[in-house]
Amino acid sequence: GQQVMQIPQYQHVQEGEDFTTYCNSSTTLSNIQWYKQRPGGHPVFLIQLVKSGEVKKQKRLTFQFGEAKKNSSLHITATQTTDVGTYFCAGQESRRALTFGSGTRLQVQP
Amino acid sequence: DSGVTQTPKHLITATGQRVTLRCSPRSGDLSVYWYQQSLDQGLQFLIQYYNGEERAKGNILERFSAQQFPDLHSELNLSSLELGDSALYFCASSSSSGSYNEQFFGPGTRLTVL
């Protein structure tokens, strides 16, 4: 079945440093979604990427979808303490359920 | 607040018991999804219902079952509980059943099996 791998599992950065998490699927995806889960909270939808090579930005967050639609990345510029949490990618093959990656836990040192 | 409600918030029970978790989706959402999140783990998809019918099944154990009622709320039944079933159970909803739909997650039910 479809597998979605996410790396790194954990990253600790100093406030102001950049952060990137990578997501790789074993199969070609129709779309990929990103979610953020704050400590003690529930996952919250961030964005969805659909097109091959797509790049979307949300303030300091940049999301990319690979040309082959099998990988994606989330880059945060100049991290802030409010960025703390676990970031999940979730890949979807056409008409199938989302498969979540294992998540990257981000810790930001003030 | 996502608009998805889950009850109870916490549940403590013993091995061998049966529990029911309840979820009310956002107003207007027809799809309900159930996920299991063990400590420091990702989200494991269990099952999806759309407008009362089962739409997709993930790694759901035979001891677990779910249903979606005519008013669209859903229940997840966990029976013959084992210690390893201790986890956070999330319900999520979306407007339709297919691709390209963001999911709105509820606050979760934390199940502890002693």
Side-chain angles (χ1 to χ4, degrees):
Chain A
Q2 179 194 14
Q3 290 189 337
V4 176
M5 309 296 292
Q6 201 172 342
I7 57 169
Q9 195 171 5
Y10 176 78
Q11 184 137 22
H12 188 154
V13 301
Q14 293 288 322
E15 191 172 20
E17 291 182 339
D18 292 355
F19 159 78
T20 305
T21 173
Y22 301 90
C23 186
N24 288 286
S25 169
S26 57
T27 58
T28 302
L29 303 170
S30 62
N31 71 92
I32 194 157
Q33 299 178 11
W34 286 90
Y35 291 78
K36 176 183 177 182
Q37 184 176 20
R38 293 182 187 273
H42 59 273
V44 175
F45 175 82
L46 293 177
I47 208 159
Q48 176 174 258
L49 305 170
V50 176
K51 299 176 184 175
S52 168
E54 189 169 15
V55 178
K56 285 189 176 180
K57 292 191 176 186
Q58 286 181 351
K59 297 183 180 178
R60 295 178 293 105
L61 278 60
T62 302
F63 303 84
Q64 294 189 348
F65 200 10
E67 294 289 341
K69 300 184 76 172
K70 295 182 74 174
N71 57 72
S72 181
S73 65
L74 157 60
H75 179 83
I76 301 178
T77 303
T79 54
Q80 299 175 359
T81 54
T82 52
D83 295 326
V84 165
T86 301
Y87 293 85
F88 292 99
C89 64
Q92 188 170 32
E93 293 178 80
S94 182
R95 296 190 169 276
R96 302 191 68 163
L98 278 178
T99 299
F100 279 79
S102 53
T104 295
R105 190 196 299 181
L106 172 64
Q107 187 65 34
V108 179
Q109 182 75 35
Chain B
D1 183 8
S2 66
V4 178
T5 60
Q6 288 187 249
T7 57
K9 196 169 184 178
H10 300 278
L11 199 49
I12 300 174
T13 188
T15 53
Q17 295 299 305
R18 173 191 168 94
V19 297
T20 297
L21 313 183
R22 183 188 166 103
C23 167
S24 292
R26 285 190 326 156
S27 177
D29 282 358
L30 299 178
S31 266
V32 168
Y33 310 79
W34 285 98
Y35 292 90
Q36 180 193 57
Q37 185 175 45
S38 301
L39 191 63
D40 292 335
Q41 295 293 312
L43 291 152
Q44 299 297 318
F45 168 69
L46 297 178
I47 199 163
Q48 176 199 358
Y49 277 82
Y50 176 74
N51 203 20
E53 293 190 2
E54 184 183 303
R55 186 54 64 102
K57 216 167 187 176
N59 296 324
I60 187 167
L61 299 172
E62 284 193 13
R63 301 183 285 109
F64 295 2
S65 65
Q67 54 183 325
Q68 186 179 28
F69 295 87
D71 68 352
L72 300 177
H73 91 271
S74 178
E75 292 181 356
L76 179 66
N77 301 295
L78 315 177
S79 62
S80 303
L81 285 168
E82 302 175 359
L83 295 177
D85 297 328
S86 293
L88 199 50
Y89 290 84
F90 285 108
C91 164
S93 74
S94 68
S95 57
S96 64
S97 66
S99 303
Y100 314 110
N101 297 299
E102 66 178 279
Q103 295 184 14
F104 296 86
F105 282 77
T109 292
R110 183 170 294 283
L111 173 66
T112 303
V113 182
L114 302 175

